[in-house]
Amino acid sequence: MAKRGLANMSMTACFAGPLFNALVGLGVGFAARLRVVKADDDGQDSLHADLNAGLWVGFAALALNCLAVLFVGVANGGFIPKHFGFVSIALYVAYLLVSLVVLFR
């Protein structure tokens, strides 16, 4: 897409495709699970989800990368410089290392 001159569409697809998959996947999964959950003492249908440290590390890394993309894009007038890719790779490597430390501690 980018080679055809549709750089905006290709950037949008990079973010929108995985986001759509995550939201629909989680929505369908939780909807299917909540269909079989019985009401608790308050009469509310609820499902307890344990959020372990690995999930928090993943959420923090994702939020940090999204905020970095937003900040760099706004600071550069809607343009993300090529060297920011190396910053994103460094953030990903840091995420992997922290995840491994949390997993094996």
Side-chain angles (χ1 to χ4, degrees):
M1 287 294 201
K3 288 184 179 181
R4 291 188 204 167
L6 301 173
N8 287 340
M9 185 181 291
S10 63
M11 284 299 295
T12 301
C14 288
F15 287 98
L19 179 65
F20 176 79
N21 289 338
L23 292 176
V24 170
L26 287 172
V28 170
F30 275 114
R33 177 69 177 128
L34 287 173
R35 288 187 68 201
V36 297
V37 171
K38 303 287 187 229
D40 60 6
D41 296 336
D42 299 336
Q44 298 287 325
D45 291 341
S46 63
L47 178 65
H48 179 73
D50 291 325
L51 300 177
N52 60 19
L55 289 174
W56 286 110
V57 169
F59 173 74
L62 181 63
L64 180 65
N65 193 37
C66 287
L67 289 174
V69 168
L70 181 67
F71 177 74
V72 170
V74 169
N76 290 313
F79 175 75
I80 297 176
K82 191 179 283 189
H83 67 272
F84 184 75
F86 296 113
V87 174
S88 290
I89 291 171
L91 285 172
Y92 183 67
V93 169
Y95 157 70
L96 287 176
L97 293 175
V98 172
S99 291
L100 288 174
V101 168
V102 167
L103 180 64
F104 293 115
R105 68 178 163 118

